[in-house]
Amino acid sequence: MSKVIRRTYSNYFLLPAAVIYVAIFILPTVMSFFFSMTRWTLADWEFIGFQNFATFFQEPSLSIGFRNTFVYALVACTLKVVLGLLLGVFLTAKIKTKAYLRSVVFFPTLVSTIAVGIAFSMMMHPTEGMLNTSLAAIGITGPDWLGDTRIALLSVALVDVWKGVGFATVIYIAGIMSIPSDYYEALQIDGGNAFDKFWRIIVPLSRPATNTVIILAFIGGLRSFDLIWTMTKGGPGFATDLIASIIYKQYQAGFYGLATAGNVILFLFVTVLAYPLSAYLNRKEVDL
Amino acid sequence: MPKSKAFGLLLATTLIAGLLAACGGGGSNAPETNASASAPPASASGSEPRESEPAKSVTISLLTDNTQDAVNSAKALIEAFHAKHPNITVEHETRPQGSEGDNFVKTRLATGDMNDVFFYNSGSLMQALNPEQNLLDLTNEPFQANVVDVFKPTVTFNGNIYGAPAGSTMGGGWFYNKKVYADLGLSVPKTWDELMANNDRIKAAGLTPIIGSYKETWTSQLIVLADYYNVQAQEPNFAADYTANKAKYATTPAALRSFEKLEQTVGYMNKDFLATTYDAGLKMLAEGKGVHYPMLTFAIPALLQNFPDQMDNIGFFAQPGDNADRNGLTVWMPGAAYIYKNGAHIEEAKTFVEFVASVEGMAAMATVSKPSGPYVIKGAELPEDTPQVVKDMIPYFDGNLTAPALEFVSPIKGPSLEQITVEVGSGQRSAKDAAEMYDKDVEKQAQQLGLEGW
């Protein structure tokens, strides 16, 4: 086969993918940058420059939104890393019901987020919910999980962790399993205990897994929306608004241009936070 | 090489275009296929021939929202209409309610895929539909003579009328439990202070004075919105000034009072009001666990359905103002039937809308769904078996003591009102602060609508 044919052949196979990529990803992205600068009613539009961005930044709940988004991402990310690592270690140990327990941990990941949100908001009902009635049975007055503005965001973040930790665990299991057994043998010869095994071998050598979990959980947290929307709709008031829920509310109100501007801002926000983080984490990675 | 590349690109684009087209279509194609079906002989129909009566059978489509009540009403309407006009078949389609439904309607209009006739809100939401471009002008239709004048401004845009009423009015005010009122020796309040005094007595008796159902945030706006009669009584020009950016909630004392009233209800609501749903609120009202429920009378069909034996215990009064002599009711206008301007069967759609906005049409709907207030069609009376709670509203209408809610006389209504009222009702934000915040919210909406003077 001549070089020319080979090149052409491969290019033809690229074409469908490229067309789909341009039509479904590149084109809407470019268009959204354009429509973020218009007053847009779906039927027609009027160019208004950066006015939407100015309006969006004046949104009264925006500062709450940025803070909440950051807190939410941080809490969800940290807990997923810590719990995922611990569960990963536990589920790679020599226990009998390993396969069963692994599927139990992974199960929440398979359930629809909306279903999880509805189920948990019922369980977290302050007077009739399962959580507080159980607490009441042992004499504790449970908090108003989703109604108290101080803890509502945390409650949702914890549900997010419950749902997402299975995925982190799977990544950790893969990471821990790929550590060559030589290291453990060396540790045994040197007389290290279980504690050393965890801190000196598992934690440093499952670093690639940690990085993956951090990046996925952090970006996921920054743009998370579905869980908060089913559980609190950003409320009470504006207490649990995330950037994504603020954007959605603009869209609901029919302010399509403004909502698009919000999305562009969120896109930049995630990029600015996630790209350096990913670069930093990758630099720190070690080879096995 | 470039030639075949271009061909590939073309192929792919056509493919995608085809996919997109497949998503649309639907409704607008259906009538043609049905029209070609054999028509029943014209003599079979008992009704007198009309100008707009098609010789062949025609199918038009109707879009309504998906509440049980809306679906039942639409089915009853279609059945009654078909009996009278056997050559016109109406296909029924539903959409979600609330802002999802708003976006559904806007998207359909924008993509040119709207049903021939659709039921949608009158007032500020209708103004956002770009009526001149999308809706058929119904100003000169003969049936407009039967429509009560107070309704017409709510479906008017630039002087043209685009809709016909599709249902009964509803009142915004306070449901109360008559049994508890009788037990505690309370009387229906004429002023806000009397209402708050009642609340104190109820609280002292160990009951919940006001039902809060803020899990569904829209319910938190009721006290502010239902106060509009009182605002208008003191500031007759408020709606016009407000639309023209000359009056603000925060700087108009009568309007600010609406937020202050909401602020005063803090501490009177059920403990779990932030987690209580609308349905749970209705249950509390019917069972007497909560005594007052600020709500729209559109809750009556749901109450009737779920608590038929409790209906005699439920009463309704308008939200009181500060002056007992000026006690009146804020009224929500019915939604309207609109005709899509670019529909394929305009004449048949007109015949259907004319039927909807007739005494017969109202009667057909009343067979399956009890009216939540008087009708805005001349000659359409409330049925005999209308529950007393609806009849509680009639004195306000007879005494001409009603005002349409602000959202029917002004195109602006800020989208964040429900979040703001949740904050006020739960004691997180003061009335003054909330009014200022809402003014900002309204400003944003007016700018997005491109209104003049903002």
Side-chain angles (χ1 to χ4, degrees), chain B residues 59-100:
Chain B
T59 302
I60 60 173
S61 67
L62 167 70
L63 180 72
T64 71
D65 79 40
N66 61 5
T67 54
Q68 196 54 49
D69 218 43
V71 172
N72 290 344
S73 305
K75 289 221 167 99
L77 260 178
I78 288 170
E79 206 175 303
F81 175 74
H82 194 62
K84 207 176 164 199
H85 302 278
N87 280 357
I88 307 177
T89 307
V90 183
E91 270 179 1
H92 183 217
E93 199 184 343
T94 60
R95 59 168 172 86
Q97 318 147 53
S99 43
E100 266 172 75

Side-chain angles (χ1 to χ4, degrees), chain A residues 39 59 127 250 252 256, chain B residues 4 99 103 272 444 447-448:
Chain A
R39 185 181 296 131
E59 192 60 31
T127 52
Q250 312 304 325
Q252 270 194 321
Y256 304 109
Chain B
S4 32
S99 43
N103 282 325
D272 50 6
K444 179 176 78 178
Q447 284 169 355
Q448 288 288 324

Side-chain angles (χ1 to χ4, degrees), chain B residues 396-452:
Chain B
Y396 298 112
F397 280 86
D398 288 349
N400 215 5
L401 297 167
T402 61
L406 183 56
E407 64 200 80
F408 294 102
V409 283
S410 169
I412 47 182
K413 178 168 183 274
S416 301
L417 181 61
E418 48 195 274
Q419 281 83 26
I420 297 172
T421 48
V422 165
E423 289 196 314
V424 177
S426 56
Q428 296 173 48
R429 192 180 288 277
S430 73
K432 178 83 184 162
D433 215 17
E436 278 165 8
M437 192 168 173
Y438 183 55
D439 285 335
K440 280 257 166 65
D441 195 42
V442 160
E443 187 183 328
K444 179 176 78 178
Q445 196 224 8
Q447 284 169 355
Q448 288 288 324
L449 286 177
L451 294 184
E452 275 170 47

Side-chain angles (χ1 to χ4, degrees), chain A residues 8 12 19 23 39 42 52 55 59-60 121 125-127 147 149 231 237-238 249-256 258, chain B residues 1 4 8-9 12 16 99 103 106-107 110 215 272 274-275 415-416 419-420 422-423 428 437 444-445 447-448 450:
Chain A
T8 319
Y12 272 126
V19 167
R39 185 181 296 131
L42 293 184
N52 280 330
T55 312
E59 192 60 31
S121 58
H125 190 288
T127 52
T149 52
M231 292 184 73
F238 304 94
K249 281 193 260 184
Q250 312 304 325
Y251 160 74
Q252 270 194 321
F255 307 158
Y256 304 109
L258 186 60
Chain B
M1 203 71 62
S4 32
L9 202 76
I16 288 167
S99 43
N103 282 325
K106 283 181 199 162
T107 312
K215 170 89 184 174
D272 50 6
L274 284 171
S416 301
Q419 281 83 26
I420 297 172
V422 165
E423 289 196 314
Q428 296 173 48
M437 192 168 173
K444 179 176 78 178
Q445 196 224 8
Q447 284 169 355
Q448 288 288 324

